């Protein structure tokens, strides 16, 4: 995370004198991507869940340097804690302020609420696997233990005595970089979870998601003229 901020700051300083974006343009960018999702305090043996994201970004370029953007993104999140994988999917609505130090390169921050649309967990042990609702994690664990006994041992967010659940709404702080080339938009975003996302006794976990995406930008209105050199 610190390296990401340093790189973004370096870009701001080094290229602030280049041509900037054309103002008064409203655009829509459909995009798909890959999530590398994890959770804070999920357990010492937890690993990232590699998952999927897709959606739309709506952006209005208010002047040559700044734009407002609102997205609607289906984002698969969660964490892997062997033998379980938490599969929580959200409809996220990132609202960001984008700064363009150079035409095509945007650096942004904002706020990102998320609405829970799916909460499942998958257990994979030996040659078996099973996907269950979060409410059924405890009973499924007991079933597996009755078959394999002490071979099934783990310590993490799934080892909750009174069951596990996911909150219906979450909030995150996104920071990212977009680069546009010939209408194609490549993006890297890191969303830092704010507040507990999991319901369970003694559990306090937040989502942290690195999202890598590729989209195509359509200008709905406003001219896309030649870049204007900064004076």
């Amino acid at each position: 995370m610190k390296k990401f901020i340093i790189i973004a700051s370096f870009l701001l300083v080094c290229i602030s004198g280049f041509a900037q974006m054309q103002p008064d343009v409203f655009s829509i960018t459909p995009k798909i991507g890959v999530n590398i999702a994890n959770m804070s305090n999920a357990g010492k043996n937890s690993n990232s869940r590699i998952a999927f994201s897709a959606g739309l970004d709506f952006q209005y370029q208010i002047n040559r340097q700044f734009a407002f953007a609102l997205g609607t993104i289906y984002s698969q999140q969660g964490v892997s804690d062997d033998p379980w994988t938490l599969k929580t999917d959200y409809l996220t609505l990132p609202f960001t302020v984008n700064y363009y130090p150079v035409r095509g390169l945007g650096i942004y921050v904002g706020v990102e609420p998320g609405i829970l649309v799916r909460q499942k967990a998958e257990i994979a042990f030996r040659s078996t696997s099973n996907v269950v609702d979060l409410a059924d994690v405890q009973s499924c664990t007991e079933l597996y233990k009755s078959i394999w006994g002490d071979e099934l041992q783990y310590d993490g967010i799934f080892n909750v005595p009174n069951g596990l659940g996911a909150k219906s709404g979450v909030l995150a702080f996104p920071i990212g970089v977009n680069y546009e080339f010939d209408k194609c938009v490549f993006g890297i975003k890191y969303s830092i979870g704010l507040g507990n996302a999991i319901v369970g006794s003694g559990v306090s976990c937040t989502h942290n998601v690195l999202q890598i995406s590729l989209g195509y930008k359509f200008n709905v209105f406003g001219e896309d003229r030649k870049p204007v050199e900064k004076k």
Side-chain angles (χ1 to χ4, degrees):
M1 181 60 193
K2 291 182 179 179
K3 291 182 179 179
F4 184 87
I5 296 174
I6 291 172
I7 292 172
S9 301
F10 178 77
L11 289 171
L12 279 173
V13 173
C14 292
I15 59 181
S16 59
F18 287 85
Q20 294 158 341
M21 300 294 284
Q22 180 62 44
D24 299 323
V25 174
F26 177 77
S27 61
I28 298 176
T29 304
K31 63 181 184 179
I32 58 173
V34 175
N35 284 353
I36 303 173
N38 212 318
M39 299 191 76
S40 64
N41 303 318
K44 60 182 180 181
N45 296 319
S46 64
N47 295 297
S48 298
R49 179 194 178 196
I50 309 301
F52 170 79
S53 66
L56 298 169
D57 280 340
F58 305 90
Q59 179 172 299
Y60 180 66
Q61 192 75 35
I62 60 175
N63 58 38
R64 296 172 187 173
Q65 289 184 301
F66 290 96
F68 292 122
L70 175 65
T72 174
I73 311 295
Y74 185 84
S75 179
Q76 294 183 330
Q77 299 175 190
V79 67
S80 176
D81 181 21
D82 189 37
W84 283 100
T85 298
L86 177 67
K87 297 184 174 184
T88 47
D89 299 349
Y90 296 87
L91 179 65
T92 62
L93 304 168
F95 176 75
T96 60
V97 178
N98 297 17
Y99 172 65
Y100 289 89
V102 58
R103 182 175 175 85
L105 179 66
I107 301 168
Y108 62 87
V109 296
V111 63
E112 185 178 73
I115 302 169
L116 183 69
V117 295
R118 181 175 182 264
Q119 52 174 326
K120 296 286 184 178
E122 179 178 8
I123 185 170
F125 188 72
R126 290 184 175 268
S127 59
T128 67
S129 65
N130 195 13
V131 178
V132 300
D133 293 328
L134 291 190
D136 298 325
V137 165
Q138 197 67 26
S139 59
C140 186
T141 299
E142 295 302 321
L143 174 62
Y144 269 64
K145 283 185 176 180
S146 69
I147 300 173
W148 284 286
D150 292 338
E151 292 184 49
L152 182 64
Q153 296 291 336
Y154 66 95
D155 181 25
I157 62 170
F158 289 97
N159 192 19
V160 177
N162 297 321
L164 192 68
K167 289 190 174 180
S168 59
V170 294
L171 188 65
F173 172 75
I175 178 170
V177 174
N178 284 333
Y179 183 72
E180 177 186 339
F181 178 76
D182 196 23
K183 300 298 183 180
C184 293
V185 182
F186 175 75
I188 300 177
K189 178 180 70 173
Y190 189 72
S191 295
I192 306 168
L194 303 173
N196 191 14
I198 297 298
V199 178
S201 177
V203 177
S204 179
C205 300
T206 59
H207 291 289
N208 298 304
V209 183
L210 177 65
Q211 189 175 95
I212 302 171
S213 63
L214 182 63
Y216 190 85
K217 185 177 181 180
F218 297 92
N219 289 341
V220 178
F221 64 78
E223 296 182 16
D224 189 15
R225 299 185 291 271
K226 292 182 180 179
V228 180
E229 295 293 335
K230 182 180 179 181
K231 295 182 181 180

